[in-house]
Structure formats: C-alpha cells, structure tokens
Amino acid sequence: MILERSISPFERFGEYVPVEDAALTVHLFCAGETLSGLAYRYYADWRLWRVIAERNKIRDPRQVAPGAQLLIPERPLERGAFESF
C-alpha cells in the first residue's frame, strides 16, 4: 500500500527556511502583472516587491515570464510595530 502525502510549496520549489516559510502562498504569474502589483495585492504595500523578488531569486523584476509560479512569503513585520492576535 502506497501512502501519498501532500507536498508543501517549499519542498517543491527550493530551500526550506522554517521561520520565513511558515505560510507560503503560490501565485501563478500572469501577463500584465508586476511584482509591485503583487506586493500591493498580498501586503497592501507596493514597496514590498523586493520581498517577493528575493524569495524567488528574481534579478530583474521586468523579466518575470508569464506562467511562472512565484512563492509569496508572509508580510514582514515592520520595525517597531506590534501585531495583535
């Protein structure tokens, strides 16, 4: 009997960093999208596009091919800010 198990995004797409990758989202990049647009969609702040670029090892944000699967990490905490539960 073969038991199948689910495979998490970090196992499929690369290195696992437990603290940073606790809750990854996989996004299928479509034509016309930008990293700053994705940052606004997931983080409500377009300036955080570098977080997505760094996690996916993107050197040139203008050269992301449509159909690419991008890993979207959780929104980073701001320095000096507290999150409520």
Side-chain angles (χ1 to χ4, degrees):
M1 178 178 188
I2 298 175
L3 297 176
E4 293 186 25
R5 67 178 184 89
S6 63
I7 297 174
S8 61
F10 57 82
E11 287 179 296
R12 251 190 323 211
F13 297 106
E15 303 169 7
Y16 170 52
V17 184
V19 174
E20 295 174 14
D21 297 344
L24 286 175
T25 302
V26 179
H27 179 84
L28 184 64
F29 194 78
C30 297
E33 287 185 319
T34 61
L35 292 184
S36 59
L38 291 180
Y40 185 77
R41 177 178 176 180
Y42 288 101
Y43 305 139
D45 188 350
W46 64 270
R47 297 170 295 178
L48 295 174
W49 65 269
R50 287 183 182 91
V51 173
I52 299 170
E54 288 172 3
R55 179 58 183 96
N56 291 281
K57 299 176 183 162
I58 297 172
R59 292 182 183 190
D60 187 354
R62 294 169 291 194
Q63 299 297 321
V64 181
Q69 292 185 346
L70 301 179
L71 296 174
I72 311 294
E74 285 186 323
R75 186 180 203 273
L77 290 175
E78 295 177 20
R79 188 176 292 226
F82 294 97
E83 282 201 8
S84 61
F85 291 96

